[in-house]
Amino acid sequence: MTPMATGGKKTTTASADGAGPARPSGTRAMAGMAGRLSWGLADQAASSISNFAVGIYVARSLGLTAFGVFSLAWVTYGVVLSVSRGLATDPLVVRFSGVPEASWRGAVARSSGTALGVGTAVGAVCLVVGLGMGGRVGPAFAGLGLMLPGLLLQDAWRYSFFAAGQGRKAFVNDVVWGVALVPAMVVAARVGSVTAFVVAWGTSAAVAAVYGCFQSGIRPRLTGARDWLRDHRDLGYRYLVENVGVSGSSQLRAYGLGVIVGVGAVGVIRGAELLLGPFLAVLMGLSLVTVAEAARVLRQAPRRLGRFCLLLGGGQAVGALLWGAALLLVPDRLGELVLGDVWDAASAIVVPVTLGVAGAGLGTGAAAGLRALAAARRSLRCQLFASVCYVGGGLGGAFAAGTVGSAWGVATAAACGSAVWWLQLRAALRERHHHSIREVRTS
C-alpha cells in the first residue's frame, strides 16, 4: 500500500497478514513483474535446452545434409506455429492478461481449441504433401504433419499460463517435454533417420500437451474456434499476417538458400543460430511475457510504456553483442565437439548472425509496445517491411556471396526493420497522448 496522509503525518497500512507494513504498490508491481519475467526466462531456458539438444544431436548424428533437411522441417514448423499464435494465443495475451479467472478459463478453452484446430488442418496438408514428395524431405514433412496438433497445443498452454501470470506452470510443462524427449531421442538414434527425430520431438511435445490439460483443468474446445476467430478477428488476422511474415520470410530464405547455395547451407545457418542458442533462449523467454507486461504497464502507468520498451529492446541488443563476442573466443576444438562437421562453416558467420540477432532484439522492444497498444495496423506494416527486407537481404546476399553474404544481408535487414519498428512506436505513443488530451478537454 502507498503511504497515506493522516493528521499531516505519513503512515503506512499494515500488510494483509499483519506481519508488518506492506510494501509500496510500485515496489509490489516491480516485484511481480520481475517474478513473471524470471519464470519466462526459466521456461524458455527449459524449452531452448531441449531444442538445442535436439539440434546438436541431429547435427552430430546425421551430418550436414541431413541436418539441412531437419532444419527445413523445423522452419516449416515455425511458420505453422506463427499461424497458431496469430489466430489463437496472441489475442489471448493482449486481451486476457490479468483478467478474472472465469474470463481467462473461457478464453483459454476457445484459444487452445483454435490452436489444436490449426495443427490438425495444417498437419493434414503437410502429411499429404510429404507423402507425395518422396525423397529425403518428403518423409520428414509427413512426420511433421502427424506431430503438429500436439506441438501447437503445447505452445498454446505456455502462452495461456503466462497470460494468467502462472509462469511456473509453463516452466513445469516444458520440463515435462524435456524429460519425455530423452527416451524419444534414444529410440530415434537407433532408427537413424531425420523422420525418426522429427517424430520423437513431436511425440514428446504431445506428452506435455496432454499434461497441460491436467495442469489447467481445461479441455480445448474445437467447437469454440469459430467464435474465437470471429470475436478477435480485428487482431487475429492482422497478427496472423504479421507472424507469418516473420516465419514465412525465414522459410523463404531457407528454401531459397537451399536452391542457390545448397541444402548444406541451410544447415550452416542453423548451426550458427544454435551457437547463439543460449542468448536466443533469453530473448524468446522474454517474448513470452513482454506483451503481457507491456499491457500491464499501459494500464497502470501509460507514460512509462516507451521507457519500458526501450530498456527491453536495448537490453536484448546489448546481450546479443556480448554473447557473440564470447563466441569469437571459443577454440575450434570445443566448437567441433559441439557441432561436429558443421562448426567450421558456422563459426565463419558468427559476426553477421550476431548483429542480425542484436538488431532483431532491439526491434522486439518496440514490437511489444505496439502489441500492448493494440496498434495492429502499425505493427503489421512494420512486420511486412521487415520481412521483405529479410528475404531480400538474405537471398540477395546469397546470390552475391553465398552463405556468408546471406548472413550479412540479413544483418542489414534487421537494422532497417528495427528502425521502422521504433518510428512506428513513437508515432503510436504520440497519437495516444494527443487522443488522451482531447478526451480530458472535452470531458
Side-chain angles (χ1 to χ4, degrees):
M1 300 290 289
T2 54
M4 300 176 61
T6 305
K9 297 181 181 180
K10 290 184 178 180
T11 63
T12 56
T13 59
S15 61
D17 60 5
R23 290 178 296 176
S25 59
T27 303
R28 289 201 306 273
M30 289 298 295
M33 180 186 296
R36 291 187 292 269
L37 290 174
S38 297
W39 279 119
L41 293 175
D43 170 72
Q44 190 57 47
S47 176
S48 294
I49 287 172
S50 299
N51 293 339
F52 182 76
V54 171
I56 295 298
Y57 204 61
V58 175
R60 291 184 58 83
S61 300
L62 302 180
L64 185 58
T65 301
F67 185 56
V69 174
F70 182 83
S71 297
L72 289 177
W74 188 285
V75 170
T76 303
Y77 157 71
V79 176
V80 184
L81 183 64
S82 296
V83 173
S84 175
R85 288 178 177 175
L87 294 177
T89 53
D90 283 345
L92 176 77
V93 171
V94 170
R95 287 182 168 158
F96 294 91
S97 291
V99 300
E101 184 179 358
S103 177
W104 173 81
R105 292 181 67 85
V108 169
R110 291 179 293 149
S111 174
S112 59
T114 303
L116 186 59
V118 171
T120 302
V122 180
V125 174
C126 286
L127 178 61
V128 172
V129 171
L131 292 175
M133 186 182 301
R136 279 189 166 188
V137 178
F141 273 71
L144 177 64
L146 292 173
M147 298 297 105
L148 278 176
L151 284 163
L152 298 191
L153 181 58
Q154 192 276 337
D155 185 75
W157 290 131
R158 297 172 70 203
Y159 278 81
S160 298
F161 291 139
F162 278 111
Q166 299 173 0
R168 181 181 60 83
K169 289 186 177 181
F171 170 74
V172 172
N173 192 275
D174 268 322
V175 170
V176 169
W177 184 1
V179 171
L181 190 61
V182 175
M185 285 291 105
V186 172
V187 174
R190 291 182 178 178
V191 176
S193 69
V194 175
T195 305
F197 280 104
V198 172
V199 171
W201 166 57
T203 300
S204 55
V207 172
V210 172
Y211 180 66
C213 297
F214 291 99
Q215 283 182 292
S216 63
I218 299 172
R219 185 169 59 185
R221 285 178 51 201
L222 275 170
T223 56
R226 179 179 296 179
D227 290 340
W228 179 263
L229 294 175
R230 183 190 65 241
D231 294 344
H232 304 284
R233 62 180 179 272
D234 58 324
L235 295 182
Y237 293 121
R238 287 194 175 98
Y239 289 159
L240 167 65
V241 176
E242 183 179 330
N243 290 354
V244 171
V246 178
S247 55
S249 60
S250 298
Q251 189 174 29
L252 287 175
R253 183 219 182 176
Y255 289 165
L257 191 60
V259 172
I260 297 168
V261 184
V263 176
V266 182
V268 172
I269 295 295
R270 177 61 183 158
E273 292 172 349
L274 282 174
L275 293 175
L276 283 159
F279 172 76
L280 291 175
V282 174
L283 191 152
M284 294 178 67
L286 289 173
S287 72
L288 289 169
V289 293
T290 49
V291 176
E293 291 305 321
R296 288 186 176 93
V297 171
L298 181 63
R299 293 189 185 100
Q300 298 170 5
R303 292 182 179 275
R304 297 180 182 176
L305 180 61
R307 184 185 303 173
F308 171 81
C309 295
L310 182 60
L311 291 173
L312 175 66
Q316 291 178 117
V318 171
L321 294 175
L322 292 175
W323 186 264
L327 287 177
L328 295 177
L329 303 177
V330 174
D332 289 338
R333 183 175 300 177
L334 179 58
E336 291 171 359
L337 180 64
V338 175
L339 287 180
D341 295 339
V342 181
W343 165 255
D344 287 338
S347 61
I349 59 173
V350 165
V351 171
V353 170
T354 297
L355 293 176
V357 172
L362 182 61
T364 57
L370 287 175
R371 286 285 177 95
L373 290 165
R377 290 184 179 180
R378 290 186 181 275
S379 62
L380 176 58
R381 287 198 294 265
C382 291
Q383 192 54 66
L384 290 177
F385 174 81
S387 297
V388 170
C389 289
Y390 181 90
V391 175
L395 297 186
F399 272 114
T403 307
V404 175
S406 180
W408 278 109
V410 166
T412 303
C416 295
S418 180
V420 172
W421 278 109
W422 280 101
L423 288 173
Q424 287 295 318
L425 176 61
R426 182 182 180 186
L429 289 172
R430 285 182 173 179
E431 184 178 86
R432 187 181 189 282
H433 179 64
H434 292 324
H435 181 68
S436 299
I437 291 177
R438 286 198 302 270
E439 286 184 342
V440 170
R441 288 177 177 174
T442 56
S443 60

